[in-house]
Amino acid sequence: MALSAKGRQNVKRIGLVVLAVVFTAIAMIGAFPVGMFRGAIEERLSAHLGAPVQIGAVGRDGIFSFKPLITVQELRIAQPDWAGRGNMVHARSIQARVAVLPILLGRAPRMEDITATGLNLSLVRDRDGRANWEGREKTPARDGDEGRGLAGVAIRDGHITLRDEKRSLTLTGSFKADGTGVRAEAKGWFHEALATVTFVGAPIVGVASDARYPFQLQLLSPLLQLDARGASVGALNLRTMSLDIRAKAPNLKYLDDVIEAGLFGTRPIDLTAKVRHSGRDWFVDRLSGRIGSSRLVANANVLKRDERTKIDADVHFSEFGFDDLSDAEGKAKDAAIEKRVGPRVLPGTRINLAKVGPTDGRIRFKADRLLLNSSAFRSLAGTIVLEGKLLRIENILAGMSSGRMTGLLEVDQRGGVRHPKLSIDLKFADGRLETVIGSKDVTGPLQGRVALVGSGDTIREALATADGRAGLAVEGGTIKRTFAAVLGQDLGKAIGAVLKDKDAEVPLRCLVVGFSATRGELIARDFVADTGISLGTGRGRISLGSERISLSISGQSRNPSALRLEDPIGVGGTLSSPTISAAGEPPGSKLDGGAMISAVGKSIGRALGIGKKERSFVTPAPIDCRAAARRVL
């Protein structure tokens, strides 16, 4: 339907009014008195930072411009209440060329050619990680947000102080940014050692926001020497950058104070790495160097997804020593425990996961050569899988001088429990008994298994409460004739073997030792040694809490003996220092000359008919070794 003449006239009037409003708005923006914004700027900044903000004055150049030069005089941002007195930021003046037309489109104004004069920064972070520069609410980077570099920034006469209690770092220094580049230098303390931090970068003035920006950062201290050289995409855009890093320190914990990755104490480190940062993600393309005597090559991706950290890494040690993962403080604690409770075999490695954050990971590790003295273990490989408070070490493969150990270790602290649950299921196969014990007095193919579940903050504490089982089996080996005679409590054959040929051997048909574990007590359920001339059986227990041994071994010769030991052989002491006793002495008593004379005296007395009546001789039946092995394995 066509408009009437009056309708067309009204449309023209409305259009002219709209155009007038638009042109008026544009004119007002171009000539807006920015001083009127001072109160609003102070209010918004104060609310965001959680600290009072004061501005002396706000002005602009000229009467009309869509890119006016805005000047802020005497900007002061006070410290948050928790950070102490004084100002977090004080600038005598800040000038910036501001493009105001984006305001018409509902966007924030764009700033260019920023110049700050007399800029003083006082940065504070407490032990809990609360930082005054983060404001009331931290705003994490969004996925895919690679940030933007600074463009056209100049800083004259800048000064900075940093008190970072979480990093144990305190610094005071100066910085500037002009046409010659960016330079900052500060001195202070890292823990209780002197430290110097320097930053050198290319000029920011006249650089595009997405241009390659080279820089170098150094921290020099007796506790840490850190050198990082690289470039960001855009000036000082720390969300997208590539770095070559070299770090040397007497302890890995000092490097962790800076990078905050949750690392542990170690022996001295010397590491180099090629690292990339993109958005919220880190990529370690190559890490190499040494920790103590251990040499490694590694790579890792550390991704931030759905407010969780996800790690995927490969770590390859050409040489690896477990002692390298313990610093002087850890060794001192172990020494104090050993002094209090005596030498221990079971490791005191801490397994509590309470401080592990929202982190998932899969780390494949391999050690070609283990730096262990007097150990049958030669190499180690496996996969560490972390799902928050659940840690699994899967596909464990430990190469030994003979045989291999495979299995699984799991630490579970889900559900807010105070102490984690440790589950161990390890199998040993294709080994040799003589290799494990380090002696050819007893030989044979060896199999074994340990399946235990317990709770505690360390491996030692968890095993002290463990339930489960442990066992080993040998079928078809050899044993010194002397030892076989002792197992059968045949004193006559033992003395004869020593006098005739102390190195003579007899078959070891079967050796099976099986324990059931209840609340950290290993109780012998199957304990038999079947040799060509004797049959020995055992009973007793081993405490995983105290590591004390209380076992007794009784035996019978396969042939009648006129001179036999009357009392069982006792095995006592601790796992680190076992002892043997005889002649009815308590298990663990020293096997000295008096005990031996007593044992021989009892045997001779029985042979002469003194004492208890001799039982009739019955030849012991052979053991079904495979059936016995199945029970314990």
Side-chain angles (χ1 to χ4, degrees):
M1 183 176 66
L3 292 174
S4 63
K6 185 175 182 180
R8 290 194 296 272
Q9 187 175 8
N10 287 336
V11 170
K12 287 182 179 180
R13 289 175 179 173
I14 292 172
L16 290 173
V17 171
V18 170
L19 289 174
V21 170
V22 171
F23 282 120
T24 300
I26 293 174
M28 289 179 66
I29 289 174
F32 194 83
V34 295
M36 296 177 59
F37 276 120
R38 183 174 66 86
I41 293 173
E42 288 178 340
E43 184 177 343
R44 291 190 64 180
L45 284 176
S46 297
H48 176 71
L49 297 172
V53 175
Q54 294 181 345
I55 297 175
V58 180
R60 56 170 291 169
D61 66 335
I63 299 175
F64 183 88
S65 173
F66 291 124
K67 279 191 176 183
L69 181 65
I70 307 297
T71 301
V72 176
Q73 300 284 355
E74 293 297 330
L75 170 67
R76 298 176 187 271
I77 303 175
Q79 295 283 10
D81 292 339
W82 60 266
R85 298 181 178 180
N87 296 317
M88 178 179 69
V89 178
H90 174 221
R92 291 199 302 273
S93 71
I94 298 177
Q95 290 184 326
R97 186 71 63 181
V98 181
V100 295
L101 279 179
I103 296 175
L104 289 176
L105 303 176
R107 298 198 300 266
R110 188 174 67 252
M111 292 188 294
E112 302 173 355
D113 301 330
I114 302 171
T115 300
T117 302
L119 178 61
N120 291 275
L121 304 178
S122 180
L123 307 180
V124 179
R125 187 167 68 156
D126 64 17
R127 294 186 181 278
D128 296 326
R130 180 173 52 176
N132 63 351
W133 60 84
E134 291 176 336
R136 280 182 173 169
E137 296 182 1
K138 297 181 181 180
T139 304
R142 299 185 302 272
D143 292 343
D145 183 2
E146 297 185 351
R148 289 177 59 86
L150 299 176
V153 175
I155 299 174
R156 302 168 183 167
D157 190 23
H159 296 272
I160 185 172
T161 62
L162 171 67
R163 189 177 79 247
D164 191 336
E165 294 179 355
K166 189 173 182 180
R167 287 193 173 101
S168 299
L169 182 63
T170 303
L171 297 170
T172 301
S174 61
F175 62 98
K176 68 174 185 177
D178 55 27
T180 64
V182 178
R183 182 171 181 85
E185 183 172 0
K187 296 183 178 181
W189 299 89
F190 180 49
H191 290 273
E192 297 180 354
L194 290 172
T196 300
V197 175
T198 58
F199 178 91
V200 178
I204 298 177
V205 177
V207 176
S209 62
D210 59 353
R212 181 179 182 275
Y213 181 81
F215 64 87
Q216 177 183 356
L217 173 68
Q218 281 188 324
L219 188 157
L220 299 178
S221 166
L223 300 181
L224 177 63
Q225 299 166 45
L226 177 66
D227 187 293
R229 303 167 185 251
S232 59
V233 179
L236 302 180
N237 176 19
L238 302 183
R239 290 186 183 174
T240 305
M241 59 181 177
S242 299
L243 298 172
D244 289 325
I245 299 175
R246 175 77 180 273
K248 297 179 67 175
N251 193 321
L252 187 61
K253 287 197 300 186
Y254 294 126
L255 176 61
D256 188 62
D257 285 334
V258 174
I259 65 177
E260 296 182 349
L263 304 176
F264 41 83
T266 68
R267 288 187 176 180
I269 67 166
D270 187 351
L271 301 170
T272 60
K274 288 186 174 295
V275 177
R276 291 178 291 122
H277 192 205
S278 179
R280 303 173 66 196
D281 304 330
W282 286 93
F283 303 91
V284 182
D285 295 325
R286 180 179 173 85
L287 171 69
S288 62
R290 65 175 182 85
I291 301 174
S293 300
S294 301
R295 298 188 175 276
L296 75 152
V297 175
N299 62 76
N301 296 336
V302 183
L303 311 180
K304 295 286 188 177
R305 297 291 184 272
D306 301 323
E307 304 307 319
R308 296 188 68 82
T309 300
K310 298 184 179 294
I311 303 171
D312 186 83
D314 292 277
V315 182
H316 183 189
F317 288 92
S318 57
E319 297 178 316
F320 176 71
F322 289 97
D323 286 346
D324 290 331
L325 302 186
S326 180
D327 58 7
E329 181 181 354
K331 290 183 179 299
K333 290 180 179 179
D334 290 342
I337 293 174
E338 184 171 310
K339 183 178 180 180
R340 186 174 70 251
V341 303
R344 291 299 179 97
V345 171
L346 302 179
T349 306
R350 187 172 177 81
I351 56 175
N352 192 294
L353 304 177
K355 295 184 178 181
V356 174
T359 302
D360 304 322
R362 181 173 289 270
I363 303 172
R364 295 161 293 277
F365 67 90
K366 181 180 180 182
D368 295 335
R369 177 171 173 257
L370 297 179
L371 303 176
L372 297 174
N373 295 324
S374 303
S375 173
F377 288 94
R378 296 291 183 265
S379 63
L380 182 64
T383 301
I384 300 173
V385 180
L386 178 64
E387 297 175 356
K389 299 295 190 296
L390 175 64
L391 172 69
R392 293 168 61 88
I393 305 180
E394 301 176 344
N395 305 317
I396 295 174
L397 175 58
M400 307 181 72
S401 50
S402 73
R404 67 186 186 280
M405 184 181 72
T406 60
L408 169 73
L409 184 149
E410 179 179 280
V411 179
D412 189 352
Q413 202 168 352
R414 294 174 296 180
V417 298
R418 183 177 180 182
H419 303 293
K421 181 176 71 174
L422 172 67
S423 301
I424 297 174
D425 191 351
L426 300 173
K427 298 178 181 179
F428 178 73
D430 300 332
R432 299 291 303 180
L433 179 60
E434 63 269 27
T435 303
V436 173
I437 66 175
S439 169
K440 292 185 178 181
D441 293 339
V442 187
T443 72
L446 175 64
Q447 300 179 76
R449 184 175 184 183
V450 176
L452 297 171
V453 179
S455 296
D457 290 336
T458 68
I459 292 178
R460 182 182 297 153
E461 291 176 4
L463 293 179
T465 69
D467 298 327
R469 59 195 177 96
L472 63 86
V474 177
E475 182 180 7
T478 64
I479 184 171
K480 287 289 182 64
R481 186 179 183 88
T482 308
F483 295 163
V486 172
L487 281 173
Q489 294 185 258
D490 191 335
L491 185 58
K493 287 187 177 64
I495 295 174
V498 171
L499 295 176
K500 185 177 181 180
D501 184 359
K502 65 179 181 180
D503 293 325
E505 297 176 341
V506 297
L508 176 62
R509 295 170 178 169
C510 185
L511 172 62
V512 171
V513 180
F515 293 92
S516 65
T518 304
R519 294 186 295 277
E521 293 286 319
L522 292 177
I523 302 171
R525 300 300 186 192
D526 291 271
F527 194 142
V528 61
D530 187 355
T531 79
I533 63 172
S534 63
L535 178 68
T537 59
R539 59 186 177 85
R541 63 183 58 209
I542 299 174
S543 170
L544 295 178
S546 64
E547 297 192 12
R548 297 204 65 83
I549 305 170
S550 180
L551 299 171
S552 63
I553 302 173
S554 301
Q556 184 176 354
S557 175
R558 293 197 176 278
N559 297 300
S561 175
L563 192 61
R564 65 185 306 272
L565 288 170
E566 291 304 311
D567 297 305
I569 299 170
V571 181
T574 64
L575 293 177
S576 63
S577 183
T579 59
I580 299 176
S581 63
E585 296 292 334
S589 300
K590 187 176 181 181
L591 187 58
D592 56 15
M596 288 303 299
I597 292 173
S598 178
V600 172
K602 283 189 177 183
S603 298
I604 294 173
R606 179 59 55 83
L608 296 175
I610 302 173
K612 296 180 181 179
K613 186 177 180 180
E614 181 70 30
R615 294 171 295 178
S616 60
F617 177 79
V618 178
T619 303
I623 299 298
D624 185 345
C625 196
R626 294 188 179 181
R630 284 195 296 269
R631 287 196 301 270
V632 303
L633 299 179

